[in-house]
């Protein structure tokens, strides 16, 4: 086409400035490596255990513990298994067929972190076992249960104020009631006690950043980002209380 030419500029990686910067970075890496001890030239039998970065030699007691830790562990494990097997008349071979960790691997990892699974899998399993469990036709004057947390979590277009948010949620609840001709609608929310089996998950989420927000009035601006607001259980309790009082 007229007036259009194929660009002739070379790749940015071949620019002189980019090449010089890359060369300097390689030199820095080589410098750090040269400042460290070469682990393949150091003989632990002669020179002992030393830090690769600082060259500091480990004390004799530390060297002894680290060198014999594996053998000591196996020895103590065999000893305790033998003692338990003798005192309680337990078949050691059968006992070793079970998990010896502090937590069952079906519930937690070897480090103690909880094993999570997708909640939807339970529903999918239930539906596959009972295909007729889903009801499409509801009788008149029925009761509808709405998961409050599911409604809040699925909210994408969050209004500007908490008052507008309450009105939007109420409109959605009434729409569901009219759709199924319900005479009663229960808007059910979760509780967030201080001691809960979900504490591990909450602490994990807290490491990613959370904040506590108090709701005072309808005209108060909704805290954003919305997902971060919902990571705090107290925020959700305050919001549900606000929705009930509005």
């Amino acid at each position: 086409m007229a007036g259009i030419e194929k660009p002739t500029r070379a790749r940015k990686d071949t620019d002189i400035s980019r090449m010089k910067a890359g060369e300097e970075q390689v030199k820095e890496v080589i410098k750090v490596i040269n400042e460290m001890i070469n682990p393949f030239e150091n003989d632990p039998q002669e020179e002992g255990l030393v830090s690769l970065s600082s060259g500091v030699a480990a004390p004799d007691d530390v060297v002894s513990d680290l060198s014999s830790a594996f053998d000591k562990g196996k020895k103590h494990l065999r000893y305790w298994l033998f003692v338990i097997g003798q005192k309680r008349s337990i078949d050691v071979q059968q006992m070793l067929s079970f998990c010896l960790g502090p937590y069952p691997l079906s519930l937690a990892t070897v480090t103690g972190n909880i094993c999570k699974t997708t909640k939807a899998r339970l529903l999918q399993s239930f539906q596959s076992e009972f295909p007729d469990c889903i009801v499409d036709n509801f009788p008149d004057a029925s009761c509808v249960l709405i998961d409050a947390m599911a409604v809040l979590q699925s909210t994408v277009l969050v209004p500007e104020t908490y008052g507008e948010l309450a009105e939007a949620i109420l409109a959605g609840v009434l729409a569901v009631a009219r759709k199924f001709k319900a005479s009663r609608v229960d808007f059910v929310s979760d509780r967030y006690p201080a001691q809960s089996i979900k504490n591990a998950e909450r602490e994990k989420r807290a490491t990613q950043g959370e904040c506590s927000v108090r709701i005072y009035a309808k005209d108060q601006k909704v805290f954003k980002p919305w997902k971060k607001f919902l990571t705090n259980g107290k925020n959700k309790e305050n919001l549900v209380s606000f929705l009930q009082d509005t």
Side-chain angles (χ1 to χ4, degrees):
M1 298 176 64
I4 298 180
E5 297 180 358
K6 184 178 180 180
T8 58
R9 189 187 188 286
R11 294 175 57 88
K12 292 183 178 181
D13 293 340
T14 59
D15 289 349
I16 300 299
S17 59
R18 183 68 64 86
M19 294 172 62
K20 289 184 177 180
E23 185 177 356
E24 292 298 326
Q25 293 174 356
V26 172
K27 290 181 179 179
E28 287 295 326
V29 174
I30 295 176
K31 178 182 177 182
V32 173
I33 294 177
N34 290 334
E35 292 175 352
M36 300 175 65
I37 297 176
N38 189 342
F40 301 102
E41 295 179 354
N42 176 41
D43 187 359
Q45 300 296 333
E46 297 180 0
E47 303 178 19
L49 295 178
V50 296
S51 171
L52 296 180
S53 59
S54 63
V56 177
D60 294 338
D61 55 342
V62 174
V63 174
S64 177
D65 289 341
L66 292 177
S67 301
S68 59
F70 183 76
D71 293 333
K72 287 182 178 179
K74 291 197 301 182
K75 179 180 179 181
H76 285 292
L77 178 61
R78 289 196 300 266
Y79 170 76
W80 285 112
L81 290 178
F82 176 77
V83 172
I84 294 174
Q86 292 294 324
K87 288 189 175 182
R88 301 185 182 181
S89 300
I90 298 176
D91 186 350
V92 177
Q93 184 175 359
Q94 181 183 7
M95 182 171 59
L96 290 176
S97 64
F98 298 95
C99 176
L100 300 180
Y103 306 101
L105 295 180
S106 59
L107 301 178
T109 63
V110 292
T111 58
N113 295 324
I114 187 171
C115 290
K116 296 185 60 179
T117 184
T118 306
K119 296 179 181 178
R121 292 182 180 177
L122 178 61
L123 179 60
Q124 294 171 359
S125 176
F126 188 81
Q127 291 177 350
S128 62
E129 188 74 18
F130 305 97
D132 299 332
C133 64
I134 300 179
V135 180
D136 296 326
N137 298 322
F138 292 84
D140 294 342
S142 60
C143 176
V144 175
L145 299 178
I146 298 180
D147 187 344
M149 291 302 109
V151 173
L152 297 177
Q153 292 285 357
S154 60
T155 301
V156 179
L157 300 177
V158 183
E160 290 296 323
T161 65
Y162 288 104
E164 294 174 349
L165 175 62
E167 293 177 358
I169 293 176
L170 178 60
V173 170
L174 294 178
V176 172
R178 287 192 294 267
K179 177 180 178 181
F180 296 106
K181 300 179 181 179
S183 60
R184 171 177 172 176
V185 178
D186 291 337
F187 192 68
V188 185
S189 64
D190 298 336
R191 296 178 62 251
Y192 299 90
Q195 294 183 351
S196 171
I197 59 175
K198 294 185 177 181
N199 283 349
E201 178 63 20
R202 293 173 186 170
E203 292 176 358
K204 180 180 178 181
R205 293 178 180 177
T207 59
Q208 302 173 357
E210 65 173 3
C211 58
S212 179
V213 179
R214 296 183 180 180
I215 305 174
Y216 294 99
K218 296 181 180 180
D219 296 333
Q220 182 178 341
K221 295 291 184 180
V222 174
F223 179 87
K224 296 179 181 179
W226 178 244
K227 291 297 182 181
K228 185 175 182 180
F229 172 84
L230 294 178
T231 57
N232 188 298
K234 193 63 178 179
N235 290 346
K236 288 183 279 191
E237 286 186 342
N238 293 338
L239 179 57
V240 171
S241 298
F242 172 78
L243 295 176
Q244 292 176 346
D245 298 336
T246 302

